[in-house]
Amino acid sequence: MTAAPPAIRIGPRAGIVIALAALLGVLAFFWPFLVAPGTFGSHYAPPLIFGVLLVIVLAVVVSEIAEGGINSKALAMLGVLSAVNAALRPLGAGTAGIETVFFLLVLAGRVYGPGFGFTLGCTSLFASALITGGVGPWMPYQMFGCAFVGMLAGLLPRAGGHREIFMLAGYGSLSGYLFGFLLNLSFWPFSVDPGSSIAYLPGLPFTEQFRRYLAFDLATSLGWDTGRAVTNLVCLLLAGPAVLTVLRRAARKARFQAPVRFARPPTGTAPPAEQAPGPGS
């Protein structure tokens, strides 16, 4: 048995915009390997520049989606799932790495497609940041991190039954580490004493720089990311089947991809006669 195709398809133009946004997001995360701190006159300039660019690109993506990338029913579903995810996030609050925001993101990306998953990751984190007061320079990076999690979930191979649940649970667990790996890149160059063996040093070859970052990630974030990975695994194994069923039932009832047709009245049918005005008119 194979899973149904994505319930919501993004048009070619919106797909190109999302692909460009994803590329810029990758560059924004991996800037320490591309731009040395101080290149723009300040050690903090590169992440600030990329942060502003991320906000602009996110605005372009959302406006492109709203202007025809998906229809009104899909936008309503996006709003509902964003609100649910924003409400779920404070339940975990990140304590010991416990994050409750990812499992719904993975399932929605699986059912509604990579474009929808990318957009949901952005809107979910934006809404939850407003609710929890988590607005700051880190927010665009968190939004893009979740966007990648939702997008990649929509690109997973087809499967059905228990195989699909185990695949999603395994991916959810891996995404817990992926999210931490990406977010640490945004502040690594400024968080460690330059004399440390795991600090960022401009000018080092890529292999040595990457080795230092892996050591930094393992030393500072492995336990936290493991808590996130385990939370994702448990939530997807326990709640995954039921939530998948609900999301797919909603997609069938909404008929997101049903074409709109306007039927002409049968030939020879006279238009309804207007009612004559009454004596009191």
Side-chain angles (χ1 to χ4, degrees):
M1 179 181 178
T2 58
I8 299 173
R9 295 188 184 277
I10 301 297
R13 192 175 71 174
I16 292 174
V17 173
I18 290 176
L20 292 176
L23 176 61
L24 181 59
V26 171
L27 295 177
F29 280 114
F30 284 88
W31 75 265
F33 302 103
L34 304 173
V35 180
T39 302
F40 296 103
S42 169
H43 288 290
Y44 299 96
L48 291 178
I49 292 173
F50 279 118
V52 172
L53 289 176
L54 290 183
V55 173
I56 295 174
V57 169
L58 288 174
V60 172
V61 170
V62 173
S63 64
E64 176 66 27
I65 294 297
E67 288 181 4
I70 54 181
N71 59 30
S72 58
K73 292 183 289 186
L75 281 175
M77 178 62 72
L78 177 65
V80 169
L81 293 180
S82 299
V84 171
N85 236 359
L88 284 175
R89 194 182 185 198
L91 298 180
T95 304
I98 298 174
E99 293 277 4
T100 51
V101 72
F102 290 95
F103 89 97
L104 182 58
L105 186 58
V106 170
L107 297 174
R110 173 65 173 176
V111 174
Y112 299 123
F116 187 90
F118 183 93
T119 311
L120 179 62
C122 295
T123 55
S124 294
L125 262 291
F126 180 77
S128 66
L130 295 180
I131 292 175
T132 60
V135 178
W138 56 85
M139 188 179 71
Y141 294 95
Q142 290 181 336
M143 291 168 65
F144 258 88
C146 283
F148 284 128
V149 171
M151 181 181 68
L152 294 176
L155 296 174
L156 293 175
R158 294 187 180 186
H162 294 297
R163 287 181 56 193
E164 182 179 34
I165 297 301
F166 290 140
M167 178 183 68
L168 291 176
Y171 168 72
S173 180
L174 180 63
S175 67
Y177 292 103
L178 173 64
F179 182 80
F181 181 86
L182 291 176
L183 263 295
N184 289 341
L185 276 169
S186 64
F187 63 85
W188 168 50
F190 318 113
S191 59
V192 183
D193 180 7
S196 172
S197 61
I198 61 175
Y200 173 72
L201 291 181
L204 287 181
F206 174 81
T207 53
E208 174 62 21
Q209 204 78 272
F210 194 69
R211 184 197 65 78
R212 283 172 169 259
Y213 177 69
L214 287 179
F216 168 82
D217 187 63
L218 293 174
T220 62
S221 184
L222 180 61
W224 199 274
D225 295 342
T226 299
R228 185 186 300 114
V230 171
T231 303
N232 294 346
L233 179 69
V234 172
C235 288
L236 286 167
L237 287 176
L238 296 181
V243 176
L244 273 178
T245 300
V246 171
L247 293 178
R248 284 178 173 146
R249 183 183 298 124
R252 288 194 300 270
K253 289 183 176 296
R255 301 181 65 195
F256 293 114
Q257 298 186 44
V260 178
R261 295 187 176 91
F262 297 94
R264 292 183 177 180
T267 305
T269 303
E274 294 186 2
Q275 185 177 1
S281 299

